[in-house]
């Protein structure tokens, strides 16, 4: 079944400037901004500018250029925030939710970048 993209989702509105956000990073195909409800000291959302619903949609439909830009951008954000080891930090966790079982709330592909303090064990309760 093809992926349906709802362009009324919150991140699409942020990308169009209809809802405010404070980007911490921007490249040609990617934007990063703080999560409105941070779960750790550092909690940044990294999203592609293109209309992709979730990780698997992004990998299937985005161009190679978009995908490379996105994954390099995640690493750049981690470095810029000082959480990556290359920036002298203590590391970070990436999370992406895809679909109903994952409880994905916003149907625009995004990666949560969590760090700045220990993020705890990876648990599924
Ligand atoms: P997910 O459950 O993976 O879809 O996560 C969606 C995330 O978007 C949640 O962590 C929310 O706190 C976050 N969020 C929702 N609205 C906004 C907003 N306007 N600006 C920044 N983050 C948001």
């Amino acid at each position: 079944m093809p992926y349906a993209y709802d362009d009324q989702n919150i991140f699409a509105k942020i990308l169009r400037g209809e809802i405010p956000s404070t980007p911490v990073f921007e490249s040609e195909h990617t934007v990063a901004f703080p999560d409105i409800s941070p779960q750790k000291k550092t909690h940044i959302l990294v999203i592609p500018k293109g209309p992709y619903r979730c990780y698997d949609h992004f990998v299937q439909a985005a161009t190679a250029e978009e995908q490379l830009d996105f994954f390099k951008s995640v690493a750049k954000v981690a470095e810029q925030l000082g959480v990556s080891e290359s920036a002298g930090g203590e590391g970070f966790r990436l999370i992406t939710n895809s679909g109903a079982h994952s409880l994905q709330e916003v149907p625009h592909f995004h990666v949560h970048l969590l760090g700045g303090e220990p993020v705890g064990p990876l648990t599924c309760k």
Side-chain angles (χ1 to χ4, degrees):
M1 198 159 69
Y3 290 95
Y5 180 79
D6 172 11
D7 69 3
Q8 293 308 304
N9 76 74
I10 293 167
F11 297 167
K13 290 180 179 177
I14 285 176
L15 285 168
R16 291 194 295 267
E18 295 166 12
I19 290 180
S21 77
T22 311
V24 297
F25 175 90
E26 181 166 5
S27 68
E28 186 179 357
H29 298 293
T30 306
V31 181
F33 51 86
D35 194 291
I36 203 169
S37 176
Q39 302 300 305
K40 291 293 166 196
K41 256 186 210 166
T42 298
H43 186 172
I44 297 295
L45 300 169
V46 189
I47 73 171
K49 293 180 179 175
Y52 306 107
R53 184 184 175 85
C54 55
Y55 175 83
D56 30 322
H57 186 202
F58 181 67
V59 168
Q60 286 180 23
T63 65
E65 187 183 323
E66 288 175 297
Q67 294 187 38
L68 186 63
D69 182 273
F70 181 80
F71 290 109
K72 280 185 174 286
S73 293
V74 173
K76 285 178 189 166
V77 172
E79 188 165 26
Q80 185 182 302
L81 296 169
V83 296
S84 67
E85 290 187 8
S86 67
E90 305 270 3
F92 56 92
R93 177 173 292 158
L94 301 178
I95 296 174
T96 188
N97 293 315
S98 180
H101 277 188
S102 74
L103 304 179
Q104 181 181 7
E105 284 174 27
V106 180
H108 181 110
F109 171 49
H110 54 281
V111 164
H112 298 256
L113 192 162
L114 298 154
E117 61 183 321
V119 298
L122 185 61
T123 54
C124 296
K125 292 181 184 169

